Amino acid sequence: MLTLYKARSVITMNPSMPRASAVLVRDGNILEVGEPERMQPWLEGQQFTVDEQFADKIICPGFIDPHLHPSMAAVLLPMEFITAMRWKLPWGDVEPVTDPAAFDARMQALHHSKPAEEPLFIWGYHQLWHGEMDKARIHQVSDQRPIIVWHRSFHELYMNDPAMSMAGIDPAQIKPGLQIDIDQGHFFEVGLGFAINRLNPWILAPEKYAEGLRRLKQVVHHGGHTSIGDLATGMFNLDAEAKALTEQLEGDDVPFRTRLVVHGTRLTQGGRKPEEGPTMAADLLRHNSHRLSFGHHIKLFSDGAFFSQLAQMQEPGYIDGHHGEWLAAPEELERHIRAYWHAGYQIHVHVTGDLGLELTLDILQKMQDEKPRFNHGFTFEHFGFSTPEQIPRIKALGAQVSANVYYLHELSDSYAKSGIGYERASQMARIGSCFAAGINTTVHSDFTMAPAEPLNSMWVAVNRISHEDQVMGAAEKLTQQQALEAITINAAQTIGMADITGSLRAGKRADFTVLDDDPLNCDPMALRDIGICATVFEGRVFPIP
Amino acid sequence: MSNSAVSSDSIPITLIGGYLGAGKTTLINKLLSHPGLPPGTAVLVNDFGDINIDESLIRSESDDGTVIGLSNGCICCSISDDLSKALDALREMPVKHIILETSGVAEPLRVWRHCHYPGFIPKAAVVLVDASNHAKRSQDKYVGSLVCAQVEQAHLLVLSKTDLNPGFELNRLTPQLSNQDPDLIDTLLEWRHIDETSEIASSSSLQPAFRTYTWHQAQDITQALLTDVLSTLDESVDRVKGLVATEDAGLLLINRVGDSLNMRCYRQSAQPEHLGLVFICRSSRSHEMHSAASGLGTSSIASQIARLDAGN
């Protein structure tokens, strides 16, 4: 059975034929992209349908987020969001809540909407907008229902008395000097670990986790994705995650495929040598199914978390003089990279600061000296801070960039004031330079670090507007064309799927994202508000209500 | 709630830190096979990978393979970088003292803060330093500041590979031991860091077997005063070392072990960062009770430090 999809315009991301008006599909694959009158040879003597439901829409290649974390998202998504930034979620837009009174009102509304006794988990609190939080403030909402308020950064939380008794936390047992302020119901740093260990029965309960993954599936669909990368499979527990992912993200009702990239150091944890890793990782390929597949990819880590200001920075470092952290000793990172480099893997390294990037570039240089490789796909993931001099090095070594461009929107103002100063803060995600240098460059959400909305990432990359409405690093803006490449063909390249998806041409899977407006010609500020009416995954239409 | 109540029923944690290759694993292996390891000691390591536990010592192993019970009444656990989870698990076991191997890239102070966990209290941060390459590594582009921070944040420094670099010593007031020291394991098991603000006033339940007192020099003193102070110290003072600026004899490097006092001129182009003295009271185990009960030494050192500050 053949289907001819007609559109107002088809954006192909095939540079040899950027635009068309129709796509002809058979058994989930594209037969031809172009004009319907030229497709007659395919149609002669065949049964076919002409599908006009997208006749006034724009068909793009299916969007791809090459770096997010389904397992982490599954933990967060069952919670209620009250956030200072907007989040478009399938079950409703989360409108920005930017002052303390509105935060309290929203807590009240959620409280009244829930059955009594059900614990209320809230995520997204930030003192910058929502004022100081404490137990008494939560008690004004309810001193009966367990309520847990989680900070936007995930690094601290507040609980009321019923929540503490639910979790079995006896305030009398908590002594001073700990990272717990029991009178305020405040748990932070290691105190947070203490709280999480006791909340786990509610957070990680199998039915909650499954519900979280079902919600993730909706989020991914509503963002317009048809492929994603799980960029640290096994971050909690490889077997448990693989089982849950198979149950929830495989099957005919799942409108996207997932590239599973295993967490390298977790894989060999427990006494295995890094040199055993490549064989162990290759063994995972036998678990591959239609939508879930490992490849010869591995994820490794250089420096600390961007949100916690633990990125390793070159001089002059942080304003307050603190240092970032290494997630592994440089020698250990090099040993892991060497093992996978020589085994022919595509290596993805988490780098956040310009010193973390410098170290990883130095190691990559050594690898190229030891065993030169072309098209190795070595990818710098996150790419928070960089220097202009590092851009040509990335190019010369044949590496690519996958940037969390959303950092720029949410964090550049505060990092300019209380991090590293305006110059470097405004130049985070230096991706205009990457495009200019001809480096394959994509953008990602690291969901739940940023909304899993490729159009939102595109909006940030094109406008570089901070949450205080300042243009940050205007010279690094992407064009709309570049930004759309970033979330389609370049992303496909990064997760090793450019042979099957990422653009529309004969022979690829019929993966589309169908838009109400043209993302290449619209007002750049309107990008993130373009309506997504459906996705098509391997020829099957999944409408977005 | 008083400080002493916190510590009396909290399990103490001794951190073993130091950069990759500084000898943490060697030290842990030595510790595990140490005949005097008190029962109830739990050794937490990042990964069993390189830990070498004598098969004959192993009594039991947990289902998930993260806890190994030893025949000497101790246990060895792998923490897989979730310290809070490991500590919550240890809460259920008859554990009296925890030895925690930190990751090679950890700053001891950050882990120290994490040891303020309900039911636990940090005791001392011991940091290993590789004598053969510390000078080079502390200048390294990537880990120089980390390695320096590890040394700065230590309460007890253990020097390894000194045979490759004889005479190596760190220019710091922090007590230093060689990893070949016959008393190494006993010393680090007993070493207790007392917060400087509370050390003089510590209550009897906190009496440690070892104490250090640090005097930070604010103004020059005379050599005569220094000599007088150093020769009239209480017998409980086992060791004094440091670098002192004098009006009449310039910078003096002080090293007093027992009754033998070594004082020599210190000549280096760069002005040292730290001036002062560290007094180490190391009660021998036989008269430890006596010294602990009477607080012997504490008032004497306090008055001597006051003399140094006053300059007379």
Side-chain angles (χ1 to χ4, degrees):
Chain A
M1 185 65 176
L2 280 66
T3 309
L4 180 65
Y5 290 98
K6 290 189 169 176
R8 186 166 99 219
S9 180
V10 177
I11 301 175
T12 69
M13 287 292 137
N14 169 2
S16 312
M17 188 185 72
R19 292 275 179 171
S21 67
V23 186
L24 181 61
V25 174
R26 181 179 66 198
D27 301 331
N29 294 318
I30 298 172
L31 290 178
E32 184 153 336
V33 178
E35 309 312 317
E37 54 275 19
R38 297 212 175 92
M39 295 177 185
Q40 283 310 311
W42 290 106
L43 303 175
E44 295 296 340
Q46 299 285 330
Q47 276 205 322
F48 67 95
T49 52
V50 177
D51 191 327
E52 307 234 17
Q53 64 176 315
F54 306 135
D56 62 343
K57 308 286 186 188
I58 308 294
I59 290 181
C60 293
F63 295 163
I64 300 170
D65 189 328
H67 185 148
L68 44 73
H69 298 288
S71 302
M72 266 169 76
V75 172
L76 185 68
L77 284 171
M79 301 184 190
E80 299 291 345
F81 284 33
I82 309 181
T83 53
M85 311 283 155
R86 74 165 208 177
W87 287 68
K88 279 164 86 174
L89 294 171
W91 41 94
D93 285 3
V94 177
E95 290 305 327
V97 168
T98 52
D99 66 80
F103 193 92
D104 290 344
R106 184 83 189 113
M107 278 203 288
Q108 285 285 0
L110 288 168
H111 167 58
H112 292 300
S113 71
K114 297 265 172 194
E117 301 302 310
E118 185 182 309
L120 174 57
F121 285 86
I122 291 166
W123 172 78
Y125 159 75
H126 197 300
Q127 67 284 356
L128 208 59
W129 292 277
H130 306 135
E132 290 306 315
M133 181 57 62
D134 56 41
K135 193 172 76 176
R137 190 168 159 195
I138 306 177
H139 279 166
Q140 284 173 7
V141 178
S142 173
D143 56 7
Q144 302 294 315
R145 178 199 300 281
I147 300 180
I148 297 95
V149 177
W150 218 295
H151 195 273
R152 161 69 173 106
S153 69
F154 303 101
H155 293 145
E156 47 189 310
L157 60 75
Y158 296 81
M159 281 193 238
N160 64 355
D161 284 332
M164 281 192 248
S165 54
M166 175 182 91
I169 295 170
D170 175 4
Q173 299 296 313
I174 308 296
K175 288 160 181 159
L178 308 174
Q179 285 155 329
I180 298 172
D181 183 342
I182 202 71
D183 296 332
Q184 309 291 334
H186 185 201
F187 298 76
F188 51 104
E189 294 213 26
V190 73
L192 177 70
F194 179 80
I196 292 177
N197 289 346
R198 280 149 189 80
L199 289 169
N200 268 344
W202 288 269
I203 302 170
L204 286 182
E207 67 277 7
K208 273 277 175 202
Y209 188 75
E211 184 199 331
L213 276 181
R214 281 192 293 275
R215 287 190 164 202
L216 169 84
K217 185 163 81 177
Q218 282 182 276
V219 167
V220 170
H221 178 220
H222 279 242
H225 306 84
T226 56
S227 299
I228 58 172
D230 174 358
L231 256 271
T233 313
M235 67 193 310
F236 300 129
N237 178 312
L238 186 56
D239 293 337
E241 281 172 53
K243 183 167 176 287
L245 291 175
T246 302
E247 281 165 11
Q248 302 298 335
L249 301 188
E250 182 54 273
D252 289 345
D253 64 329
V254 181
F256 55 90
R257 68 180 71 78
T258 306
R259 164 65 81 215
L260 303 167
V261 178
V262 73
H263 189 302
T265 42
R266 287 265 192 283
L267 182 68
T268 46
Q269 183 172 285
R272 312 297 289 264
K273 293 186 171 23
E275 291 72 23
E276 298 174 55
T279 310
M280 294 173 75
D283 188 51
L284 295 169
L285 267 68
R286 65 192 168 87
H287 299 294
N288 284 358
S289 61
H290 187 78
R291 289 173 177 76
L292 293 166
S293 63
F294 292 97
H296 286 94
H297 291 249
I298 198 76
K299 173 75 178 295
L300 297 168
F301 296 81
S302 173
D303 53 335
F306 196 89
F307 264 88
S308 315
Q309 293 202 356
L310 290 173
Q312 284 280 20
M313 296 300 294
Q314 299 193 54
E315 290 297 323
Y318 291 94
I319 295 169
D320 67 4
H322 84 272
H323 292 284
E325 70 179 15
W326 297 110
L327 296 179
E331 294 90 332
E332 287 176 307
L333 176 63
E334 180 176 324
R335 185 173 167 190
H336 278 92
I337 288 178
R338 179 173 288 108
Y340 290 100
W341 178 264
H342 285 268
Y345 273 72
Q346 180 176 340
I347 300 164
H348 301 253
V349 183
H350 162 116
V351 294
T352 51
D354 56 13
L355 189 63
L357 177 59
E358 186 74 4
L359 167 70
T360 315
L361 279 165
D362 281 357
I363 295 173
L364 178 56
Q365 177 74 61
K366 268 192 208 175
M367 296 306 115
Q368 287 288 28
D369 293 346
E370 284 174 21
K371 179 188 174 180
R373 283 175 61 190
F374 293 97
N375 297 320
H376 47 75
F378 194 106
T379 308
F380 295 102
E381 299 284 343
H382 303 320
F383 193 65
F385 300 113
S386 57
T387 66
E389 294 72 25
Q390 288 171 332
I391 307 298
R393 288 192 73 195
I394 296 171
K395 173 65 179 169
L397 292 166
Q400 48 190 1
V401 167
S402 178
N404 186 341
V405 72
Y406 187 78
Y407 290 150
L408 179 90
H409 176 62
E410 182 154 343
L411 298 172
S412 59
D413 299 308
S414 65
Y415 280 37
K417 289 173 198 143
S418 56
I420 55 166
Y422 181 87
E423 180 192 337
R424 288 177 297 160
S426 67
Q427 294 167 29
M428 59 173 82
R430 194 184 303 280
I431 52 179
S433 295
C434 292
F435 270 91
I439 295 164
N440 185 66
T441 305
T442 179
V443 293
H444 64 247
S445 69
D446 199 17
F447 186 70
T448 52
M449 291 296 141
E453 299 168 38
L455 285 174
N456 189 55
S457 305
M458 201 178 157
W459 176 84
V460 179
V462 168
N463 298 296
R464 291 187 72 94
I465 287 188
S466 71
H467 79 83
E468 288 180 3
D469 279 333
Q470 301 296 311
V471 174
M472 302 300 258
E476 292 296 327
K477 283 183 180 180
L478 298 191
T479 65
Q480 281 159 271
Q481 171 72 27
Q482 289 170 330
L484 189 60
E485 286 169 11
I487 61 169
T488 56
I489 184 65
N490 295 4
Q493 185 69 36
T494 302
I495 57 172
M497 290 187 165
D499 54 337
I500 59 165
T501 192
S503 66
L504 302 179
R505 63 152 171 86
K508 284 201 180 187
R509 305 280 188 272
D511 299 340
F512 317 151
T513 302
V514 188
L515 304 177
D516 294 339
D517 287 309
D518 192 321
L520 298 184
N521 297 331
C522 70
D523 170 6
M525 285 303 287
L527 273 169
R528 64 174 181 172
D529 295 311
I530 294 177
I532 305 172
C533 71
T535 60
V536 176
F537 177 69
E538 298 187 349
R540 184 166 162 206
V541 178
F542 290 85
I544 295 175
Chain B
M1 189 129 340
S2 75
N3 247 340
S4 59
V6 172
S7 62
S8 59
D9 58 355
S10 297
I11 301 168
I13 304 177
T14 300
L15 308 178
I16 308 284
Y19 194 70
L20 189 76
K24 295 191 294 296
T25 307
T26 309
L27 182 66
I28 298 281
N29 284 331
K30 205 179 221 178
L31 186 89
L32 285 170
S33 58
H34 182 64
L37 191 65
T41 307
V43 179
L44 265 63
V45 298
N46 276 310
D47 203 318
F48 285 142
D50 301 317
I51 300 292
N52 179 12
I53 305 176
D54 191 336
E55 289 287 335
S56 64
L57 267 178
I58 298 178
R59 197 189 56 197
S60 62
E61 203 169 328
S62 68
D63 292 342
D64 61 355
T66 59
V67 183
I68 294 177
L70 306 178
S71 55
N72 58 6
C74 300
I75 55 173
C76 189
C77 316
S78 94
I79 51 178
S80 331
D81 54 64
D82 189 344
L83 180 62
S84 69
K85 215 169 242 173
L87 292 181
D88 272 327
L90 285 176
R91 192 187 300 283
E92 312 302 322
M93 302 178 197
V95 169
K96 297 200 185 77
H97 183 193
I98 293 172
I99 310 293
L100 169 64
E101 179 202 21
T102 70
S103 123
V105 286
E107 287 191 25
L109 214 54
R110 281 185 190 156
V111 187
W112 180 269
R113 285 201 297 267
H114 289 182
C115 291
H116 281 289
Y117 195 77
F120 300 86
I121 188 165
K123 186 181 176 191
V126 180
V127 170
L128 282 133
V129 175
D130 181 342
S132 69
N133 71 2
H134 178 75
K136 182 164 171 249
R137 189 162 272 159
S138 62
Q139 300 295 319
D140 184 86
K141 176 176 169 188
Y142 298 116
V143 298
S145 63
L146 168 68
V147 166
C148 292
Q150 288 177 335
V151 168
E152 273 162 32
Q153 295 167 10
H155 306 129
L156 175 66
L157 288 160
V158 177
L159 308 182
S160 64
K161 302 182 192 169
T162 42
D163 50 327
L164 298 176
N165 188 7
F168 172 80
E169 206 168 348
L170 289 157
N171 173 27
R172 298 202 59 83
L173 298 179
T174 317
Q176 293 168 35
L177 278 179
S178 155
N179 71 340
Q180 300 304 316
D181 189 310
D183 290 336
L184 173 68
I185 302 294
D186 288 324
T187 305
L188 82 88
L189 284 172
E190 292 179 48
W191 202 269
R192 184 191 295 273
H193 171 71
I194 308 288
D195 209 329
E196 284 192 16
T197 53
S198 64
E199 65 187 347
I200 301 295
S202 60
S203 71
S204 61
S205 70
L206 275 172
Q207 287 294 347
F210 296 90
R211 285 188 175 192
T212 65
Y213 301 93
T214 307
W215 168 62
H216 296 285
Q217 184 177 21
Q219 56 189 36
D220 288 5
I221 56 169
T222 62
Q223 186 179 12
L225 172 65
L226 182 64
T227 311
D228 187 47
V229 165
L230 291 175
S231 50
T232 55
L233 284 172
D234 189 276
E235 62 169 16
S236 69
V237 179
D238 188 67
R239 193 164 182 203
V240 184
K241 61 176 299 182
L243 201 55
V244 177
T246 61
E247 295 160 6
D248 41 354
L251 275 181
L252 294 176
L253 191 62
I254 312 299
N255 197 356
R256 176 184 179 274
V257 183
D259 289 336
S260 123
L261 173 62
N262 183 329
M263 196 185 282
R264 60 187 165 88
C265 281
Y266 180 79
R267 287 182 229 283
Q268 284 216 340
S269 51
Q271 174 75 12
E273 267 180 74
H274 306 276
L275 286 178
L277 290 170
V278 60
F279 301 80
I280 303 171
C281 304
R282 179 170 165 185
S283 340
S284 79
R285 273 162 284 289
S286 57
H287 63 253
E288 177 185 316
M289 290 306 292
H290 167 71
S291 147
S294 65
L296 202 69
T298 301
S299 58
S300 144
I301 289 172
S303 64
Q304 298 289 25
I305 286 177
R307 283 183 66 200
L308 291 169
D309 278 332
N312 59 40

